[in-house]
Amino acid sequence: MKLVIPGGTGHVGGVVARAFTRAGHAVVVLSRTPQPAKWRTLAWDGRSLGAWAREIDGADVVLNLAGYSVDCRYTPANRARILASRLESTRVIGEAIAQCANPPRVWLQASTATIYAHTLGAPHDEEGVIGGDEPYAPDTWRFSIEVATRWERALAEAATPRTRKIALRSAMTMSPTPGSVFAVLSRLARFGLGGPVAGGHQFVSWIHQDDFLAALNFLIARDEIDGAVNVCAPSPLPYTDFMRALRRAWGMPIGLPATAWMLEIAAFVLRTESELVLKSRRVVPGRLLRAGFTFAQPAWPSAVSDLVARFRTRGE
């Protein structure tokens, strides 16, 4: 296949590009700042048509991962960048596909499991309640849900009748590579800082990188699947249990607890937001399971053992 990945220079894009290149597929990454890689990398600005659009004509798959990083403080300027980068890139990819003589078979569009309401109760499959109306939700949470909702709407509105469209409501992709979210959480755990936060009852949704890649291949092959798909492991678990398993895998017996206000201070110092930890994401892959997808790493304790072993092999 030929796979075009707009915004593919981040962590998840690198995981996908490496795996598909090793499998013998042709990979083209579109980036605002192209860097040498084992696959082709072309320049684009993420909002206007250019020479890059020719790569989409005749491609088999487009996987759009473009968007300004949410690992920042949600200042007015950053909010504008986060929203515009997602809406503009989605719109222009739709325009590029619409003008193709031979459009791609499928357009996989990044979305997020954050779109669902905060819950400690029943898990959300794709029919779950979209968030945003919770009276207790901080403004930052409502902003994230607004971004996800408008992002998916931009995908739905793209006029690409010959291309199947899937919104990937992905949980955190756990990969044993430097700079990944797994590496960041592992650093906390190894220093004994991975204890309960704000009680630790909030749920964490996640997916092992091998299952993320397998899910992409599954969705590419299944012509009957379109629309929103939760891309996550079938076993979300409370933050306390999630971090306890991570600490055990690293051989760290203790995890210092923290209150919500302590986390807010740390997030401010680190120039990020506390939503990643405080919002409960209890999301399950309903459509994948019903379609017959089998997870290689469905449970976190075994998944984290595998990830730590691979991380050690790469070098700590």
Side-chain angles (χ1 to χ4, degrees), residues 193 196-198 256-270 274 278:
L193 301 176
V197 174
L256 298 177
T259 62
W261 67 264
M262 292 168 66
L263 179 65
E264 293 293 351
I265 292 173
F268 179 81
V269 171
L270 296 172
S274 63
L278 293 181

Side-chain angles (χ1 to χ4, degrees), residues 41-65:
T41 305
L42 301 178
W44 81 324
D45 64 5
R47 61 177 181 270
S48 56
L49 291 171
W52 61 267
R54 291 195 292 270
E55 297 294 334
I56 289 180
D57 198 347
D60 296 283
V61 180
V62 172
L63 170 61
N64 181 25
L65 301 175

